[in-house]
Amino acid sequence: MTNTFTTRTVDITTGSTETVYDLTDHCAHFLREVAAGRDGLLNVFTPHATAGLAVIETGAGSDDDLLAALRDLLPKDDRWRHRHGSPGHGRDHVLPAFVPPHATLPVVGGELELGTWQSVVLVDTNVDNPHRKVRLSFLG
């Protein structure tokens, strides 16, 4: 069987507050269109210096817990050398070291192979940029 590679960019509006944006439906829709029941890998990538991707449970408080943990770990204050943008914006540029801008996930039978409570999310703490791009790429 010959492997095929298909990629697409999704535009996401995260708004003016820190957010954990669920991308799972975007991923599933993309795979329904391109995977054709094949096994492979889905790579999710966001080309931004101030956002990241995670696989976590959502809707039961874990998304808010993640944002709270990031606020504790990366306070929004004047300690950051990177100072353009809103106060504390330098922390947003450190975020991808803790929440990377990429994830590679298994696809089995054309469907994302996630655990029962897992979701693919965009983590965006940068309130200065509400418009994000996410690249979905399937190899299978």
Side-chain angles (χ1 to χ4, degrees):
M1 179 170 128
T2 303
N3 285 341
T4 60
F5 178 79
T6 307
T7 189
R8 175 176 306 152
T9 300
V10 179
D11 293 315
I12 304 294
T13 300
T14 57
S16 59
T17 60
E18 296 179 351
T19 190
V20 173
Y21 184 96
D22 194 335
L23 297 167
T24 310
D25 287 343
H26 290 280
C27 295
H29 178 76
F30 173 69
L31 290 171
R32 277 192 299 277
E33 290 182 7
V34 305
R38 295 188 313 269
D39 294 349
L41 295 171
L42 174 69
N43 181 264
V44 186
F45 175 74
T46 187
H48 298 284
T50 59
L53 296 159
V55 177
I56 64 167
E57 177 181 8
T58 59
S62 297
D63 36 357
D64 291 330
D65 289 341
L66 174 58
L67 291 174
L70 290 170
R71 281 186 217 106
D72 289 344
L73 184 63
L74 304 170
K76 196 168 195 134
D77 58 23
D78 64 356
R79 75 183 69 201
W80 309 101
R81 290 183 182 102
H82 187 105
R83 294 183 186 257
H84 78 83
S86 61
H89 174 67
R91 62 145 347 208
D92 301 324
H93 286 275
V94 176
L95 173 78
F98 295 92
V99 183
H102 57 86
T104 300
L105 307 163
V107 176
V108 178
E111 295 184 10
L112 199 53
E113 187 75 4
L114 293 174
T116 302
W117 305 112
Q118 289 180 318
S119 297
V120 182
V121 298
L122 173 70
V123 180
D124 188 0
T125 60
N126 181 3
V127 299
D128 294 336
N129 183 4
H131 304 289
R132 300 301 187 161
K133 293 193 179 299
V134 174
R135 177 166 296 281
L136 305 175
S137 302
F138 176 69
L139 177 64

